[in-house]
């Protein structure tokens, strides 16, 4: 159904995507330059004997971080998108307010507290962190999915029904394409805050870029903190750009 | 043919449509009209099951609409609405192709059909096919809406104020085009409007509704001349004679042999063309109306070229498909006793005079009563 829309996707969107992909490759190269970081951080903090976090390489930490973010954001999308769709359907409309309140609560509840609660149940490591981040990131995905679907013009829906489209077809051929921009904005927000918040995962031993930050605080070495924080910030910006360019590919420029 | 039998729609305690029985013969335009909340749109939406009737029975071509799935039913009924409801993310071509795609047509067939329909509604396929809805004017969007409704060539068309959201000038043009298309395609059309003039112009028969009840179902002429009750009488308005004029097309009354010359004609031909006429029309090589030449001036010694008044045909001529009402209105506006009739590109087709309109109105009672007798005959059969 979207054949017309796809062919209209301008070259510009692909070029933007290519630029973002090159930036991602540059980032990957950068985190692998352990020696380079050591020299930079050493120059910035000449007082520190050990200017770089010794327990793991930056590349390892960044990879762990990506795994935590990937799993939790993946779960957020896997649950959040269908949930958002469901509460705008006839069958789920009654649950709209409850779900909205629940995801709102999920975001206002501090992730660090979720970690503390989940630890006795899920133990130490990756999984309590994934649960905390999953809940934390759910709100923007669900609320934007709902907002995007509710903003689809009523007359377009009436016409779609009137010409004989079934409910499933209306969802996939009309509603979701028209809501993509708003939904993508929610996904971008969710992933960005997830990358930042995932640094707390280190508190339960899940690793990632939070490790040098927490380690740096403990041994009072600001070089470690900067190493973790700077990389996490770069990663968040990069992820946002990549998603923005994906949005450019998914959403035709005329919308 | 569409039959509604004792159809009622209730929303809680409110009765939107009350025991409606209506029969629309194939190939006819039935206009549902009435004040807001009279149930006309609800009635329309029950025919393609966007609204399910509380009780009663609706048949399309002899089969109960409840016997098959609603989705399947709708694919065989054209649907055009006031807000148009074009899909903003699809091109014009993609929008028109919606139903053919649902029906699984082959790609080439769809492409051919889209071009055909754009032609039909008067838009250039090469230019408009790749446009997006938000690049269209209101009038263009409504044309595309109609084209989409016609896409799979459904025998039945439901139109809910399809020309409601455009300026009056565009609306008249769209109405004229609809009348032309309908003459060609002969669809069974249910058309909802609140505009009496639109109803009179387009309807074979008008169903006037009030508070969910059918007040009268008749030809426009009968509705004007023999209103069933005071409500019908008042609804049709005081300007009955003018409304009747709205029923007659200039094409049926115009004289096709309007005296004319070409602007390239030699002087003596121009002079000779005058004869005893007061003026003659002037056209270009393509027949497009340029203005007129004043024969009185020419007879008085003025050079023919000097005696020509040049005008823009859009402003000083009526287009084919217009009603006598528009022709009369233009005559009054221009202060002339006659006016030229042109086709869509301005080519002179003929002329219509005040006297022609008068004779249509007086002697013409039989002329206009004709459709009444015809449809009365169909009703009894």
């Amino acid at each position: 159904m979207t054949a017309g829309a796809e062919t209209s996707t301008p070259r510009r969107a692909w070029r933007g995507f290519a630029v973002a992909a090159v930036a991602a490759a540059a980032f990957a190269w950068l985190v692998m330059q352990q020696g380079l970081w050591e020299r930079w951080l050493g120059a910035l903090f000449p007082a520190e004997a050990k200017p770089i976090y010794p327990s793991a390489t930056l590349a390892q930490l960044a990879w762990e971080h990506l795994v935590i973010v990937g799993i939790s954001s993946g779960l957020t999308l896997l649950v959040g998108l269908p949930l958002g769709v469901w509460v705008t359907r006839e069958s789920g409309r009654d649950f709209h307010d409850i779900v909205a309140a629940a995801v709102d609560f999920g975001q206002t509840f501090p992730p660090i507290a979720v970690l503390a609660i989940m630890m006795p149940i899920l133990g130490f490591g990756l999984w309590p962190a994934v649960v905390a981040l999953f809940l934390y990131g759910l709100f923007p995905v669900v609320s934007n999915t709902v907002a995007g679907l509710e903003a689809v013009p009523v007359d377009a829906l009436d016409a779609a029904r009137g010409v004989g489209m079934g409910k499933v077809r209306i969802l996939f051929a009309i509603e979701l394409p028209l809501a993509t921009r708003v939904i993508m904005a929610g996904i971008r927000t969710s992933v960005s805050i997830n990358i930042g918040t995932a640094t707390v995962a280190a508190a339960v031993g899940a690793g990632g870029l939070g490790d040098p930050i927490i380690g740096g605080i403990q041994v009072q070495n600001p070089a470690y903190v900067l190493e973790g924080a700077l990389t996490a910030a770069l990663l968040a910006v990069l992820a946002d750009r990549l998603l923005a360019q994906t949005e450019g590919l998914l959403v035709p420029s005329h919308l | 043919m569409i039959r509604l039998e004792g159809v009622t729609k209730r929303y809680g305690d409110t009765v939107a449509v009350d025991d409606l029985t209506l029969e629309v013969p194939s190939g006819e335009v039935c206009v549902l009209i009435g004040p807001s909340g009279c149930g006309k749109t609800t009635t329309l939406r029950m025919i393609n099951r966007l609204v399910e009737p509380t009780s009663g029975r609706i048949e399309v071509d002899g089969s109960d609409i409840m016997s098959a799935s609603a989705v399947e039913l709708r694919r065989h009924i054209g649907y055009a609405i006031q807000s148009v409801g074009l899909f903003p993310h699809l091109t014009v071509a993609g929008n028109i192709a919606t139903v053919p795609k649902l029906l699984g047509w082959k790609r080439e067939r769809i492409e051919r059909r889209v071009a055909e329909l754009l032609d039909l509604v008067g838009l250039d396929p090469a230019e408009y096919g790749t446009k997006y809805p938000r690049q269209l004017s209101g009038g263009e969007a409504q044309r595309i809406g109609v084209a989409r409704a016609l896409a799979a060539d459904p025998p039945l068309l439901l139109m809910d104020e399809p020309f409601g959201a455009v300026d009056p000038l565009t609306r008249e043009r769209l109405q004229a085009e609809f009348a032309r298309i309908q003459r060609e395609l002969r669809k069974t059309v249910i058309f909802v409007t609140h505009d009496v003039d639109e109803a009179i112009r387009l309807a074979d028969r008008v169903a006037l509704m009030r508070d969910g009840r059918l007040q009268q179902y008749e030809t426009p002429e009968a509705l004007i001349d023999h209103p069933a009750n005071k409500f019908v009488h008042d609804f049709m308005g005081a300007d009955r004679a003018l409304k009747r004029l709205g029923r007659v097309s200039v094409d049926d009354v115009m004289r096709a042999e309007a005296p004319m010359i070409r602007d390239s004609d030699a002087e003596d031909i121009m002079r000779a063309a005058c004869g005893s006429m007061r003026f003659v029309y002037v056209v270009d090589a393509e027949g497009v109306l340029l203005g007129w030449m004043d024969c009185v001036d020419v007879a008085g010694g003025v050079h023919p070229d000097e005696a020509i008044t040049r005008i823009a045909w859009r402003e000083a001529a009526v287009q084919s498909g217009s009603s006598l009402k528009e022709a009369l209105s233009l005559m009054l506006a221009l202060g002339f006793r006659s006016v030229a009739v042109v086709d869509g590109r301005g080519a002179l087709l003929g002329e219509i005079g005040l006297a022609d309109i008068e004779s249509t109105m007086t002697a013409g009672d039989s002329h206009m009563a004709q459709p009444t007798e015809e449809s009365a005959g169909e009703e009894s059969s």
Side-chain angles (χ1 to χ4, degrees), chain B residues 41-109:
Chain B
T41 293
T42 308
T43 302
L44 180 100
R45 290 169 73 87
M46 282 194 286
I47 295 170
N48 67 356
R49 289 181 62 184
L50 285 171
V51 172
E52 304 265 332
T54 312
S55 63
R57 185 181 158 86
I58 301 175
E59 279 177 15
V60 173
D61 289 331
S63 63
D64 191 326
I65 59 164
M66 303 307 284
S67 60
S69 89
V71 165
E72 195 52 42
L73 173 79
R74 290 177 197 142
R75 289 181 189 177
H76 300 283
I77 299 179
Y79 184 60
I81 50 179
Q82 177 180 5
S83 50
V84 190
L86 293 180
F87 307 132
H89 59 305
L90 298 183
T91 59
V92 162
N95 268 283
I96 297 176
T98 307
V99 182
K101 275 184 184 164
L102 290 174
L103 295 174
W105 287 18
K106 292 248 166 11
R107 198 191 161 125
E108 308 84 67
R109 184 174 170 208

Side-chain angles (χ1 to χ4, degrees), chain A residues 141-224:
Chain A
V141 172
V142 174
S143 62
N144 277 45
T145 303
V146 171
L149 290 173
E150 281 177 348
V152 172
V154 181
D155 54 331
L157 291 180
D158 184 42
R161 290 181 65 207
V163 300
M165 288 192 186
K167 284 177 185 168
V168 176
R169 195 185 294 266
I170 292 176
L171 175 65
F172 285 99
I174 307 293
E175 292 182 272
L176 286 176
L178 289 175
T180 303
R181 188 175 286 281
V182 180
I183 295 175
M184 279 304 291
I187 294 176
R188 280 166 64 182
T189 309
S190 176
V191 171
S192 290
I193 60 174
N194 190 346
I195 290 172
T197 315
T199 50
V200 304
V204 289
L209 294 164
D211 263 3
I213 296 176
I214 290 175
I217 293 168
Q218 278 165 353
V219 300
Q220 294 187 15
N221 184 337
Y224 296 177

Side-chain angles (χ1 to χ4, degrees), chain B residues 8-39:
Chain B
T8 297
K9 177 64 190 178
R10 276 197 202 86
Y11 293 101
D13 287 339
T14 3
V15 183
V17 176
D18 191 2
D19 192 23
L20 179 67
T21 297
L22 197 70
E23 196 174 308
V24 184
S26 295
E28 279 203 4
V29 179
C30 165
V31 172
L32 298 173
I33 192 171
S36 311
C38 71

Side-chain angles (χ1 to χ4, degrees), chain A residues 162-164, chain B residues 1-2 26-28 48 60-61 72-80 96 99-100 103 105 109 113 116-117 120 145-159 178 181-182 184-190:
Chain A
V163 300
Chain B
M1 190 187 71
I2 304 166
S26 295
E28 279 203 4
N48 67 356
V60 173
D61 289 331
E72 195 52 42
L73 173 79
R74 290 177 197 142
R75 289 181 189 177
H76 300 283
I77 299 179
Y79 184 60
I96 297 176
V99 182
L103 295 174
W105 287 18
R109 184 174 170 208
R113 183 63 182 155
E116 207 174 286
L117 283 160
L120 183 73
V146 172
R148 182 174 63 183
L150 288 168
D153 205 14
L156 169 58
L157 215 52
L158 303 179
M159 308 179 92
F178 172 77
I181 291 170
Q182 172 61 9
E184 205 175 301
L185 303 181
R186 285 275 145 216
K187 301 286 181 192
T188 310
V189 183
I190 311 283

Side-chain angles (χ1 to χ4, degrees), chain B residues 97-291:
Chain B
T98 307
V99 182
K101 275 184 184 164
L102 290 174
L103 295 174
W105 287 18
K106 292 248 166 11
R107 198 191 161 125
E108 308 84 67
R109 184 174 170 208
I110 293 178
E111 276 169 16
R112 230 180 314 125
R113 183 63 182 155
V114 167
E116 207 174 286
L117 283 160
L118 281 168
D119 262 338
L120 183 73
V121 298
L123 298 173
D124 177 13
E127 184 187 346
Y128 282 88
T130 54
K131 282 197 180 193
Y132 284 93
R134 68 172 221 188
Q135 299 170 299
L136 303 172
S137 72
E140 286 164 353
Q142 299 217 330
R143 280 164 209 241
I144 304 300
V146 172
R148 182 174 63 183
L150 288 168
D153 205 14
L156 169 58
L157 215 52
L158 303 179
M159 308 179 92
D160 189 353
E161 305 205 26
F163 312 135
V166 291
D167 61 273
L169 205 71
T170 307
R171 188 178 315 145
E172 288 211 342
R173 204 170 304 145
L174 289 174
Q175 286 168 354
E177 269 171 40
F178 172 77
R180 169 180 63 79
I181 291 170
Q182 172 61 9
R183 268 199 301 277
E184 205 175 301
L185 303 181
R186 285 275 145 216
K187 301 286 181 192
T188 310
V189 183
I190 311 283
F191 191 111
V192 164
T193 184
H194 62 262
D195 177 348
V196 180
D197 292 306
E198 183 167 75
I200 289 172
R201 177 166 193 185
L202 301 178
D204 291 304
R205 273 198 267 186
V206 178
L208 179 51
M209 294 178 72
R210 180 201 199 181
D211 299 333
R213 293 189 144 269
L214 185 64
Q215 301 295 309
Q216 192 169 2
Y217 181 44
E218 263 297 357
T219 61
E221 289 82 1
L223 225 59
I224 291 169
D225 294 340
H226 312 289
N229 56 39
K230 186 165 184 313
F231 174 75
V232 177
H233 177 272
D234 293 348
F235 196 87
M236 297 313 287
D239 54 343
R240 316 177 151 267
L242 282 179
K243 289 223 161 69
R244 279 173 142 277
L245 285 182
R247 281 293 286 171
V248 187
S249 162
V250 291
D251 303 61
D252 297 336
V253 179
M254 73 172 183
R255 282 168 286 121
E257 63 290 348
M260 61 165 188
I261 53 170
R262 293 187 191 283
D263 65 339
S264 57
D265 282 343
E267 191 187 327
D268 52 332
I269 297 179
M270 286 189 176
R271 282 181 192 285
C274 267
S276 59
M277 240 76 71
R278 284 188 55 238
F279 70 93
V280 292
Y281 292 105
V282 181
V283 299
D284 69 9
E286 253 91 64
V288 174
L289 182 67
L290 297 173

